[in-house]
Amino acid sequence: MNFKEREVEPVNSMVTNFEDMEQLGRQMERQRTNEELKQHERQPDPVQHDKKIDGKQ
């Protein structure tokens, strides 16, 4: 698959063009950490996996 074909067929990713990538990057920069959320008495996202089961750290 060459570069031109990739422009027509989206690659499996979160964004499909450069403008969306820039916007997503800005959103991620502003994303608060779990510690920041706790300081403001907010509930962070739940754990997405069990370290004991899938071995992720």
Side-chain angles (χ1 to χ4, degrees):
M1 175 183 299
N2 65 30
F3 184 71
K4 288 279 185 192
E5 291 173 350
R6 281 192 174 178
E7 290 180 355
V8 175
E9 297 179 22
V11 178
N12 188 13
S13 67
M14 294 175 67
V15 296
T16 57
N17 60 45
F18 188 73
E19 290 80 21
D20 288 346
M21 183 180 67
E22 288 180 319
Q23 181 180 6
L24 181 61
R26 286 190 296 272
Q27 290 174 359
M28 291 174 74
E29 286 175 351
R30 291 191 308 261
Q31 190 73 30
R32 290 183 282 182
T33 65
N34 285 349
E35 297 304 320
E36 291 172 328
L37 290 172
K38 288 177 185 177
Q39 288 175 355
H40 293 94
E41 298 179 5
R42 306 287 307 268
Q43 179 69 33
D45 285 340
V47 174
Q48 299 294 315
H49 60 272
D50 188 342
K51 294 176 188 177
K52 295 175 186 174
I53 295 172
D54 60 18
K56 293 183 181 179
Q57 294 184 11

